[in-house]
Amino acid sequence: MSLICNRSRLTSSLIKRLKYQIAIVSNHRSFTTSEGHRPAIVNKRSLDILHDPWFNKGTAFSMTERDRLDLRGLLPPNVMTTEQQINRFMADLRRLEKQTKDGPSDPNALAKWRILNRLHDRNETMYYKVLIANIAEYAPIVYTPTVGLVCQNYSGLYRRPRGMYFSADDRGEMMSMVYNWPADQVDMIVVTDGSRILGLGDLGIQGIGIAIGKLDLYVAAAGINPQRVLPVMIDVGTNNEKLLKDPLYLGLQENRLDGEDYLAVIDEFMEAVYTRWPNVIVQFEDFQTKWAFKLLQRYRHNYRMFNDDVQGTAGVAIAGLLGAVRAQGRPMIDFPKQKIVVAGAGSAGVGVLNAARKTMARMLGNNESAYESARSQFWVVDAKGLITEEREDIDPEVRPFAWRANEINRQGLKEGASLAEVVRQVKPDVLLGLSAVGGLFSREVLEAFKGSTSTKPAIFAMSNPTKNAECTPEEAFSIVGDHIIYASGSPFQNVDLGNGKTGHVNQGNNMYLFPGIGLGTLLSGSEIVSDGMLQAAAERLAGYMTEEEVLNGVIYPSTSRIRDITKEVAAAVVKEALEEDLAEGYRGMDVRELQKLNEEELLEYVENNMWNPEYPTLVYK
């Protein structure tokens, strides 16, 4: 077996060297590859082309293509530009978005989702062109918060296949099942088991909506080719009593698998997808806390995978926390001095805690005493109150942050102290919410936070969807004051503070990081997604804002700049992969060529490998 592996590596290495030599001889830099501009070979014509969303151009087919593909007479005679097509669609959307409601209980956002989904079903290129051009407006429709509503209603919204479903009933068959997917190359998979969708709980098979939404952002923000993405649902049952009794539910109506039976299903899935697509990147999404960390540790050292709830959320939070330090007019190196109260000890909360502690420790010297010193900057509060070592059955992942009784008593606190008590006594610089409990930052808590010793205290109400936010920006600014930094997980409008002042709402959305992490991993050819690569992504996001912006309370950029942000983050990930000697190159770009790129060339390399929604020339064969 080792001989075969060695031969395979030699062959791969030889091919890379040959491509490298060819690039030199032709004097053509291999990183100028541009996604989406190659002619596409199709083996269908006529109505079959018009019914294929990957290749359909609608009224934009040129007359020569209409002749070549037997389309003449099947379309109106006027050939339209993509701009004209988009104008027609947008006019229809504005007119229809209210009319497509299924009654008064159907929000306008869901109506928009329905219309966009219909466009996606018939013309993928135009769908992504519309999405990219209007990303600030439509990201909240295809992703959070609307995607939560979509998942809750997915059994009724389902119309056509998008993605793959692996169920407990498919055990022993997954290795052959993966070959049912038509794409020979898949770069990105987002997988969920539906057990903890946003803050909505167990939604079973309906959770595939979150995988679809995330991959839409991979395409729109990172330029991952839409023909190389795959949303996946692993259906191991559901413990949602409503779904178990619903005759229209599309998933397995049995209780969730657990223990070794559950692990066996996930193991089989991972083995199957990596057998067919050895270089695919798998993002785990919305797995319950019980499994999120176990699966991450089980696979991260052997596969190109990461968990966005644990690592992506942590990265975005770290970027925001570093931005909050900058907003105080202090350098980011002062981060280890920040006192942080964290509300929530689930997968997202623990992920942020671990990442923040590592960041502080690295700034303090990255040794054992630095880690111990960093630990004392956090106070973790869950549904039972402040977590100390006196807590029974404490989660092993949370234990490192549990205060010792003698230490906490000196602060006038004890095991189980309420959030308001902790905030009152600690006077923190940051109040960080990852609890999924809407309104947790009550008036009492916010009044207590007014005692913060920071010149610009920060409130991070990060739970999704909108109804789960720990407090609204209006509540935060009106109770604590207009000198605060406010960030949320879901979108809110800025607050008019009067006298020409604005209370800026910073949306700490994972979409700032996960597309860049995925793209950077892909373009570096890294075998794994390392902690260093994740840290580099977070620090690049933290440094993206100008000094003037952060001093005005703006610590996250506008989502309208998402492709540029993603390009910067991806470049930082590639650079870190090179420094850690993890990179193996991508396509014709040998790792030695990657190492020669300066900052500007690295950004160019990333940008030129981002897919753009342009209609390709279709050639029939």
Side-chain angles (χ1 to χ4, degrees), residues 109-355:
L110 192 56
K112 287 185 179 180
W113 181 88
R114 291 171 189 270
I115 297 166
L116 287 168
N117 198 51
R118 290 170 196 162
L119 177 61
H120 197 176
D121 285 345
R122 66 179 183 268
N123 188 331
E124 280 219 344
T125 303
M126 187 174 164
Y127 170 75
Y128 288 114
K129 207 168 186 68
V130 169
L131 183 56
I132 291 169
N134 303 275
I135 192 69
E137 179 181 357
Y138 292 150
I141 304 299
V142 302
Y143 184 45
T144 182
T146 307
V147 72
L149 192 60
V150 170
C151 289
Q152 287 175 300
N153 296 278
Y154 199 78
S155 287
L157 293 169
Y158 177 84
R159 293 293 179 270
R160 58 177 293 163
R162 181 166 287 127
M164 289 194 75
Y165 301 82
F166 296 84
S167 79
D169 287 351
D170 296 318
R171 279 175 282 189
E173 301 294 335
M174 295 184 194
M175 191 65 75
S176 59
M177 285 172 61
V178 290
Y179 290 92
N180 292 338
W181 189 250
D184 289 328
Q185 181 176 344
V186 171
D187 291 334
M188 199 76 223
I189 288 175
V190 175
V191 59
T192 184
D193 70 350
S195 58
R196 190 201 62 82
I197 298 299
L198 300 173
L200 302 170
D202 184 348
L203 295 183
I205 202 170
Q206 301 185 142
I208 195 172
I210 196 80
I212 294 168
K214 288 270 185 175
L215 285 169
D216 276 349
L217 292 184
Y218 265 112
V219 177
I224 303 293
N225 191 316
Q227 295 186 31
R228 299 189 203 136
V229 302
L230 174 57
V232 171
M233 160 54 62
I234 299 180
D235 186 3
V236 290
T238 178
N239 293 333
N240 185 321
E241 290 298 324
K242 182 180 177 183
L243 297 179
L244 288 171
K245 297 174 183 176
D246 184 354
L248 301 181
Y249 177 60
L250 295 173
L252 295 180
Q253 290 185 297
E254 54 193 53
N255 287 321
R256 282 187 172 275
L257 291 181
D258 206 355
E260 291 301 317
D261 288 335
Y262 175 86
L263 284 174
V265 172
I266 310 298
D267 282 348
E268 185 179 346
F269 161 74
M270 292 294 280
E271 184 181 1
V273 296
Y274 279 97
T275 296
R276 185 174 182 198
W277 303 296
N279 298 315
V280 71
I281 302 162
V282 176
Q283 176 179 314
F284 277 60
E285 187 69 33
D286 286 354
F287 283 72
Q288 60 185 308
T289 305
K290 173 181 178 179
W291 288 113
F293 288 99
K294 288 180 181 177
L295 296 175
L296 180 60
Q297 294 307 318
R298 189 177 184 87
Y299 302 126
R300 67 171 307 193
H301 301 296
N302 298 312
Y303 295 114
R304 284 151 57 107
M305 62 81 62
F306 67 103
N307 183 304
D308 186 48
D309 305 299
V310 176
Q311 297 164 297
T313 300
V316 171
I318 295 302
L321 292 170
L322 293 173
V325 176
R326 292 181 66 201
Q328 296 168 12
R330 299 160 66 183
M332 287 193 283
I333 199 72
D334 279 356
F335 179 50
K337 299 176 183 177
Q338 299 280 289
K339 294 179 292 183
I340 303 173
V341 171
V342 179
S347 59
V350 174
V352 170
L353 283 165
N354 286 327

Side-chain angles (χ1 to χ4, degrees), residues 336-341 360 373-379 403:
K337 299 176 183 177
Q338 299 280 289
K339 294 179 292 183
I340 303 173
V341 171
M360 286 184 176
S373 175
R375 181 189 70 83
S376 64
Q377 298 302 114
F378 302 94
W379 289 258
W403 280 86

